[in-house]
Amino acid sequence: MLGGGYAGLMVTRELEERLPPGDELVLVDETGEHLIQHELHRVIRYPTFADDIAIPLGELTTRAAIREATVTDIDADAGTVALADGEAIDYDACVVALGSQTADYDIPGVAEYATPLKRREHAATLRRDFLDAVETAGGTAVVVGGAGLSGIQTAGEFAELADREGVRDDVEVVLVERSDTVAPSFPENFRDAARNALRDLDVRLETGTEVTGVTATDVRTDGDAIPSDVLAWTGGVRGPDALGEERRGVRADLRLSDRTFVTGDAADIVDADGERVPASAQAAVRASPTVARNVERVLDAARAGESVGHLEKWAFETPGWLISVGDDAVAQLGPEVFRGAAANVIKTSVGLTYLAEHGSLRDAIRVVRDELGDERVLPDRPDLEP
């Protein structure tokens, strides 16, 4: 197993149950921790929340050997994985779940001046840059590049942080998106609800706007330049370095080669219904049982000295989508879209279930109190923690 994110952890846990006791199961991850990525934006406002969303992989697995290392290359034909320390690992079956990196599309200045939101240190940097800018500038401009789900949530956190610091009137939060709408790949009623939630927070929306360059002081676009003291970049995804920065295309059986599979954000999946699957935590989790069953079939066939027959095909089905927009939330369940208290309850229950299953009850309780705005036990109030 390569990668300890949503896809890597879920497939590992499935294989721990499925593989015979004599089979060696190794999980290679760069940090040795499972990061609950869909809550990372919260760290911008609540810094000590970072400790609750990173869980050592050894606490979440039962028999897998955890190897903390960086994967530099994968030879799917030879069945080998190269690590940054020079070691190579041979495998009988491999699942590549290394996630994705933020794409800068070679836009001049983005790599130098923008901060992505993929790791806890990124959230810490964005918070620090914001507070520094507020302290030194008469007015502060925060720009978020990319209005997908991550960009929407990030813009919402900055707006709420400005309010919490008592500087909302001095801060402008701008969300820039090349498409004509926020959340462009989602249903219209979901997009509308997300847009309205952002407007209620006074986030300025610059849709239909292409970023052409970035400097230390502004974001250049195909229209007017936008002043920028803080720039968060959530403008798309590319594949991991070990795959040549490519999201590898696979079909519904998620098979990259005879004994190699790729899943999660590292994969560009066309499912059994012929639909392209969005890069999301939800898709990564839902594909995991199919990946594990197909790995099991490949290994069983190899043990028997037979060729692999039919592999299971996966179709992505979603019950809906959930995002937070500051203290608000947008939830789509089937055709219905909710905002406010109802959406917050739905989103919080999903977070509670995930953390209770894959983290700890204490962490889950803290997430619930944060999501519901219980000021008695907010994550940056360690003196009041239970």
Side-chain angles (χ1 to χ4, degrees):
M1 277 302 318
L2 305 180
Y6 294 104
L9 176 61
M10 295 300 105
V11 175
T12 298
R13 289 168 68 116
E14 290 272 348
L15 290 174
E16 286 181 323
E17 297 293 326
R18 291 180 169 277
L19 296 184
D23 283 4
E24 183 182 11
L25 180 58
V26 180
L27 172 54
V28 181
D29 184 79
E30 192 170 37
T31 67
E33 294 180 328
H34 174 63
L35 180 65
I36 302 174
Q37 184 82 39
H38 69 273
E39 294 287 358
L40 182 58
H41 61 284
R42 290 296 197 196
V43 178
I44 294 172
R45 194 172 13 152
Y46 302 127
T48 61
F49 194 37
D51 295 334
D52 298 323
I53 61 171
I55 307 161
L57 287 165
E59 295 180 10
L60 302 175
T61 54
T62 57
R63 56 174 282 201
I66 309 301
R67 176 71 185 274
E68 193 171 326
T70 299
V71 177
T72 57
D73 190 43
I74 301 147
D75 188 332
D77 294 325
T80 61
V81 173
L83 304 180
D85 62 7
E87 185 181 347
I89 301 175
D90 296 327
Y91 63 81
D92 298 299
C94 178
V95 178
V96 182
L98 292 169
S100 64
Q101 303 296 319
T102 302
D104 61 20
Y105 305 108
D106 295 323
I107 298 171
V110 170
E112 183 177 359
Y113 296 110
T115 302
L117 191 60
K118 283 291 188 180
R119 298 176 180 268
R120 289 184 293 170
E121 53 265 35
H122 294 153
T125 296
L126 288 169
R127 176 183 171 85
R128 183 179 65 248
D129 289 350
F130 175 88
L131 295 176
D132 288 348
V134 165
E135 186 175 339
T136 58
T140 301
V142 178
V143 179
V144 179
L149 301 190
S150 180
I152 291 169
Q153 296 189 131
T154 301
E157 286 304 305
F158 274 122
E160 295 283 12
L161 177 59
D163 184 65
R164 182 170 188 164
E165 294 294 317
V167 293
R168 191 64 187 94
D169 292 342
D170 299 321
V171 173
E172 182 174 50
V173 180
V174 184
L175 183 57
V176 182
E177 169 58 44
R178 181 174 57 181
S179 299
D180 291 331
T181 179
V182 301
S185 59
F186 291 84
E188 183 177 0
N189 55 354
F190 184 87
R191 297 196 305 261
D192 291 344
R195 182 182 63 244
N196 291 337
L198 288 163
R199 286 178 173 166
D200 287 348
L201 287 173
D202 292 325
V203 173
R204 174 179 148 199
L205 303 180
E206 291 288 345
T207 55
T209 301
E210 184 169 358
V211 175
T212 58
V214 172
T215 73
T217 58
D218 62 23
V219 174
R220 310 278 171 86
T221 75
D222 51 0
D224 295 331
I226 302 171
S228 172
D229 298 298
V230 182
L231 175 58
W233 189 260
T234 63
V237 296
R238 64 168 176 83
D241 293 341
L243 291 178
E245 301 186 1
E246 228 185 292
R247 295 179 66 219
R248 292 298 173 88
V250 290
R251 301 201 68 81
D253 61 6
L254 301 141
R255 198 177 189 186
L256 186 63
S257 70
D258 287 347
R259 48 185 170 154
T260 309
F261 296 83
V262 61
T263 189
D265 288 0
D268 182 7
I269 304 168
V270 176
D271 74 0
D273 295 328
E275 299 291 332
R276 179 159 268 107
V277 177
S280 66
Q282 183 184 155
V285 170
R286 290 179 175 274
S288 298
T290 299
V291 177
R293 286 191 286 268
N294 284 344
V295 168
E296 185 181 25
R297 290 177 186 181
V298 165
L299 292 175
D300 286 346
R303 273 189 281 268
E306 300 171 353
S307 61
V308 180
H310 171 72
L311 288 180
E312 184 176 324
K313 293 186 175 6
W314 174 66
F316 177 54
E317 296 180 3
T318 174
W321 299 97
L322 298 165
I323 57 168
S324 60
V325 188
D327 287 334
D328 198 353
V330 178
Q332 180 185 2
L333 296 178
E336 300 296 324
V337 172
F338 306 88
R339 274 186 61 193
N344 264 315
V345 167
I346 295 168
K347 188 172 190 300
T348 300
S349 345
V350 171
L352 172 64
T353 301
Y354 189 86
L355 267 173
E357 288 182 356
H358 309 298
S360 72
L361 181 58
R362 178 181 179 278
D363 293 341
I365 290 169
R366 289 183 58 169
V367 169
V368 169
R369 287 174 172 170
D370 177 31
E371 293 282 0
L372 295 181
D374 187 338
E375 293 293 339
R376 295 170 301 171
V377 200
L378 286 171
D380 56 353
R381 297 285 303 279
D383 54 315
L384 297 178
E385 290 176 8

